[in-house]
């Protein structure tokens, strides 16, 4: 795991691993069961400058490089997928505001999100519009006091606790992005519960009933808004998901190694049975390959390589599929114990399936990867 890393990156990885072992792993099962994160974990992340560490220091971050952020995402994914998702979403919202918003918007909201004083939510998906998010039906119109927004957003991570929403709508037939505060009249959130995985991500459906925001809350408007704001934000989240999938797969491997070493069948530890060894080998190889792919992607992102977006798509596609395969194999290796809440592999399996859907489904990425590769030649 340490090969090819700088001394600082190695030290950071070890610190991240300690944080996860101490603060996440003991509580991840409880959060999953309750479908809610403790407020204390947000305080812990903010105190350790891990909530949006890629922000500059003046905005509450540490200016963390892409490779190190990948290491953080991997470790968070090993410990709790919902916490990893929280960190990714805060980065998506804060960076969008910092990059595309006015100075007043950036000064007000980026540090607030970076330090955890307010939670941000990325409101893009709609009840009838998922992968085709570019064609959302939420609308905005100019009014005397600013802009009036009407529509619904669904499957929005941390909508239940968010204090500010980055909302995408159509204004004069062009895409637009707005900052909408939670206490805005006409805004309400309906919790979404009973999810398959990432249960502590506190999803909600956001209702916008003629919500008026001041003119200064317009983040971006124009035909390139979706490509610039939404796509760059999703790219940020996609990299986190890719690296988090590696961590999830590593968690499955660790659990399987521990269990098969100690569980005896037919007078021998499971780990000595050849079919079990075959399954372990598939997990080991997939974890190592996905990790190397994500490390390479991090290096390309750090260098602002022109092929970094395509590489991120490849990493997310491969790593999320590898994580689901590893989780399925881990449950199988545990037998009946694998479907019990006494063991984390059942949670890993549920969370892994979500990784193949969020930030672009595997099917959408098959199209995107092929199209981008064909365009290079």
């Amino acid at each position: 795991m340490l090969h090819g890393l700088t001394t600082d990156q190695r030290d950071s990885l070890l610190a991240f691993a300690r944080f996860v072992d101490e603060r996440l792993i003991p509580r991840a099962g409880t959060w999953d069961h309750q479908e809610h994160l403790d407020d204390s974990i947000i305080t812990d992340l903010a105190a350790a400058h891990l909530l949006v560490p890629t922000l500059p220091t003046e905005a509450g971050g540490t200016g963390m490089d892409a490779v190190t952020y990948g290491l953080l995402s991997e470790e968070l994914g090993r410990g709790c997928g919902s916490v990893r998702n929280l960190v990714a979403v805060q980065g998506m919202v804060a960076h969008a505001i910092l990059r595309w918003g006015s100075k007043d918007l950036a000064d007000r909201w980026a540090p607030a999100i970076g330090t955890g004083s307010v939670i941000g939510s990325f409101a893009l998906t709609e009840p009838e519009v998922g992968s085709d998010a570019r064609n959302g039906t939420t609308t905005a119109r100019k009014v005397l006091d600013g802009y009036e927004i009407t529509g619904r957003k669904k499957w929005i991570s941390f909508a239940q606790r968010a204090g500010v929403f980055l909302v995408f709508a159509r204004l004069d037939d062009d895409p637009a992005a707005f900052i909408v505060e939670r206490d805005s009249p006409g805004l309400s959130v309906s919790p979404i519960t009973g999810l398959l995985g990432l249960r502590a991500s506190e999803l909600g459906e956001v209702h916008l009933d003629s919500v008026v925001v001041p003119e200064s809350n317009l983040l971006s408007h124009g035909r390139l808004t979706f490509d610039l704001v939404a796509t760059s934000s999703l790219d940020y989240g996609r990299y986190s998901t890719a690296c988090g999938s590696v961590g999830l797969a590593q968690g499955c491997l660790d659990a399987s190694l521990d269990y098969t070493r100690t569980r005896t069948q037919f007078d021998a530890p499971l780990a000595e049975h050849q079919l079990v060894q075959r399954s372990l080998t598939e997990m080991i190889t997939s974890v190592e390959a996905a990790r190397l792919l994500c490390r390479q992607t991090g290096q390309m992102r750090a260098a602002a390589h022109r092929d970094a977006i395509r590489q991120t798509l490849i990493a997310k596609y491969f790593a999320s599929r590898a994580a689901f395969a590893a989780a399925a194999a881990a449950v199988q290796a545990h037998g009946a114990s694998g479907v019990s809440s006494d063991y984390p592999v059942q949670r890993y399996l549920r969370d892994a399936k979500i990784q193949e859907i969020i930030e672009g489904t595997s099917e959408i990425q098959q199209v995107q990867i092929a199209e981008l590769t064909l365009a290079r030649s």
Side-chain angles (χ1 to χ4, degrees), residues 190-367:
S190 301
I192 299 175
T193 59
L195 295 171
L196 174 68
L198 296 187
R199 288 179 173 175
S201 290
E202 302 176 22
L203 269 67
E205 182 169 345
V206 182
H207 305 264
L208 300 132
D209 184 9
S210 299
V211 174
V212 176
V213 299
E215 192 168 341
S216 59
N217 279 30
L218 176 64
L219 191 75
S220 177
H221 176 223
R223 61 185 182 87
L224 294 179
T225 290
F226 191 93
D227 292 326
L228 295 175
V229 183
T231 300
S232 63
S233 299
L234 291 170
D235 177 63
Y236 182 97
R238 194 172 292 129
Y239 176 55
S240 172
T241 302
C243 297
S245 295
V246 175
L248 189 155
Q250 182 67 57
C252 292
L253 176 58
D254 292 343
S256 298
L257 290 171
D258 290 343
Y259 188 82
T260 58
R261 283 179 179 131
T262 56
R263 175 69 167 172
T264 299
Q265 290 289 311
F266 304 105
D267 299 322
L270 282 175
E272 294 182 9
H273 294 274
Q274 289 185 339
L275 286 177
V276 174
Q277 292 175 345
R278 175 185 176 182
S279 179
L280 291 172
T281 295
E282 291 295 327
M283 272 194 269
I284 293 165
T285 305
S286 294
V287 170
E288 294 292 339
R291 177 174 290 120
L292 288 172
L293 191 53
C294 285
R295 295 277 174 89
Q296 175 178 282
T297 299
Q299 292 167 355
M300 293 176 71
R301 294 176 70 87
H305 194 283
R306 63 184 180 88
D307 202 31
I309 290 177
R310 188 183 73 101
Q311 191 70 23
T312 302
L313 285 164
I314 294 171
K316 195 270 184 179
Y317 174 72
F318 183 87
S320 62
R321 285 163 58 90
F324 185 72
V331 169
Q332 194 73 16
H334 282 68
S337 297
V339 297
S340 166
S341 60
D342 293 336
Y343 293 84
V345 291
Q346 49 80 32
R347 171 168 51 85
Y348 286 144
L349 179 62
R350 292 186 284 102
D351 286 354
K353 174 45 67 177
I354 308 302
Q355 310 287 50
E356 292 189 292
I357 297 172
I358 59 174
E359 266 63 274
T361 65
S362 294
E363 291 77 14
I364 289 294
Q365 287 170 349
Q366 287 172 338
V367 174

Side-chain angles (χ1 to χ4, degrees), residues 171-190:
L171 173 64
D172 298 330
D173 283 334
D174 280 327
F178 297 90
I179 299 302
V180 183
E181 297 179 49
R182 188 183 190 90
D183 59 1
S184 301
L187 186 147
S188 61
V189 176
S190 301

Side-chain angles (χ1 to χ4, degrees), residues 91-165:
M92 292 167 68
V93 177
H95 277 285
I97 295 173
L98 187 65
R99 184 174 183 183
W100 307 110
S102 65
K103 186 177 185 303
D104 287 343
L105 281 179
D107 289 346
R108 181 180 180 188
W109 293 114
I113 295 171
T115 56
S117 61
V118 67
I119 295 298
S121 199
F122 188 78
L124 174 63
T125 307
E126 299 184 359
E128 304 300 327
V129 182
S131 296
D132 191 21
R134 186 183 298 272
N135 292 314
T137 60
T138 297
T139 60
R141 68 184 185 94
K142 187 72 178 71
V143 295
L144 182 63
D145 296 329
Y147 298 94
E148 181 184 271
I149 307 171
T150 299
R152 285 194 301 160
K153 300 294 182 176
K154 194 172 184 181
W155 313 117
I156 308 304
S157 295
F158 302 100
Q160 295 180 39
R161 74 160 67 218
V164 64
F165 298 84

Side-chain angles (χ1 to χ4, degrees), residues 59-75:
T62 61
M64 183 179 287
D65 67 89
V67 172
T68 306
Y69 181 67
L71 300 177
L72 172 63
S73 298
E74 179 179 335
E75 285 301 306

